[in-house]
Amino acid sequence: MAKPEPSTAGARLRAAVDQERPLQIAGTINAITALLARQAGFRAIYLSGSGVSSASHGLPDLGVTTLQDVLEDTRRITAAVDVPLLVDADTGWGSSLMIERTVRELTRAGAAGMHLEDQVDAKRCGHRPGKQLVTTAEMLDRLKAGLDSRTDASFVIMARTDAVAVEGIAAAIERANRYVDVGADMIFAEAIPSLEDYLRFTESVSVPVLANLTEFGVTPLFSIDALREAGVKLVLYPLTAFRAMNAAAARVYQTIRATGSQQELIDEMQTRDELYSLLDYYRQEP
């Protein structure tokens, strides 16, 4: 007899981590990209804070968007697909009370989990220089606030550490283990430069470790097989499709402006039938 599907988004994310080694997580910036990721077979998806700020607001990823901004994009994605969604919660948007609210609201919005990071509130991209960290004690308080406010025990609280670039690999692993001791379900090891460092992480930390394969950063674009050998349990492609979409859109606009026609671009486009199929248009058409 087949086992029943997990009933909550968090439970589905945990099940996916157990069943796909490592679990590939596709970055999605909106509902249509979530539908495309599901169509491609991804078993988990992701909403990046950078994606919210740049795609939805045209702003840099410098901590300028709010919880409400992220919730709006979260709701649109979870309404479109039931693929479990991991959400970038940055530093939690403030005090312990705000972090508690963040967990409750993201759970209500249908997210499967979120990650909190150990940068200061005036954070910056994890692959940029000049990052500053809060103390381990302050990060533990952030995590406790999130963990204690869960209304669904399966909702994933992932701890992200940016300490490798600031304090070194040994200190980052020490921080990660403190985060696990307080209850973090998974670890997001940011800006890791080598497979050897991933292996040190996974051999030292008792919970699943995520590798962030963002392009043009300090982490090489390792293969899934290499990361599996290094013990990584989750592999994230946070803005890959978004970057490709931007490049395609720029090329389209430039071509139309230069030639006065989109004719030479037709072969590069999603067709009307492909879009309608993705949206289940024909079945719903009156």
Side-chain angles (χ1 to χ4, degrees):
M1 183 176 178
K3 295 175 67 174
E5 287 294 318
S7 59
T8 69
R12 292 196 298 276
L13 178 57
R14 292 171 186 268
V17 173
D18 289 339
Q19 293 163 6
E20 183 177 313
R21 298 293 180 90
L23 177 65
Q24 292 181 296
I25 306 176
T28 54
I29 58 163
N30 53 25
I32 195 73
T33 54
L35 287 167
L36 289 166
R38 182 183 66 180
Q39 184 181 68
F42 282 91
R43 302 179 67 174
I45 55 177
Y46 177 71
L47 179 61
S48 160
S50 177
V52 172
S53 59
S54 56
S56 295
H57 298 277
L59 295 170
D61 181 26
L62 292 170
V64 294
T65 49
T66 67
L67 170 60
Q68 291 305 316
D69 294 327
V70 173
L71 285 171
E72 184 172 1
D73 285 347
T74 297
R75 293 188 191 104
R76 289 173 175 173
I77 290 171
T78 59
V81 299
D82 61 1
V83 181
L85 175 70
L86 176 66
V87 176
D88 181 356
D90 287 336
T91 62
W93 293 287
S95 67
S96 293
L97 289 174
M98 193 63 194
I99 292 171
E100 292 172 5
R101 183 181 176 213
T102 296
V103 171
R104 291 194 299 269
E105 292 294 337
L106 282 173
T107 303
R108 196 164 15 242
M114 67 182 224
H115 63 78
L116 284 168
E117 63 193 64
D118 53 12
Q119 286 197 52
V120 298
D121 286 335
K123 58 149 291 178
R124 58 176 56 204
C125 169
H127 292 255
R128 295 286 298 156
K131 294 187 293 185
Q132 298 179 52
L133 307 181
V134 297
T135 65
T136 299
E138 184 171 342
M139 180 59 174
L140 293 178
D141 286 342
R142 287 177 181 174
L143 289 169
K144 289 174 185 175
L147 291 159
D148 291 346
S149 62
R150 282 193 288 202
T151 56
D152 170 15
S154 70
F155 184 84
V156 172
I157 303 288
M158 180 183 286
R160 169 175 148 172
T161 182
D162 283 77
V164 172
V166 180
E167 300 176 343
I169 184 72
I173 290 172
E174 181 178 353
R175 276 180 176 260
N177 279 316
R178 294 286 302 280
Y179 303 162
V180 173
D181 288 344
V182 83
D185 298 304
M186 303 175 192
I187 293 293
F188 184 135
E190 178 66 310
I192 305 297
S194 72
L195 289 169
E196 290 75 19
D197 285 336
Y198 275 122
L199 186 60
R200 288 181 65 183
F201 248 99
T202 62
E203 288 183 338
S204 303
V205 177
S206 60
V207 300
V209 172
L210 177 145
N212 181 25
L213 294 193
T214 189
E215 301 82 16
F216 314 109
V218 302
T219 302
L221 303 182
F222 298 118
S223 72
I224 199 78
D225 291 335
L227 290 166
R228 183 183 299 112
E229 288 295 317
V232 169
K233 294 297 196 304
L234 307 95
V235 182
L236 174 63
Y237 312 89
L239 292 169
T240 307
F242 176 58
R243 290 191 173 102
M245 291 161 61
N246 287 345
R251 184 169 63 254
V252 165
Y253 294 140
Q254 290 160 9
T255 299
I256 294 173
R257 184 66 173 163
T259 68
S261 171
Q262 70 270 51
Q263 187 60 50
E264 68 182 79
L265 300 165
I266 290 294
D267 290 343
E268 302 176 34
M269 293 184 190
Q270 181 188 55
T271 68
R272 185 185 298 270
D273 282 344
E274 287 168 342
L275 175 61
Y276 284 3
S277 177
L278 182 69
L279 299 174
D280 198 20
Y281 180 96
Y282 296 115
R283 185 182 65 82
Q284 300 182 61
E285 186 176 35

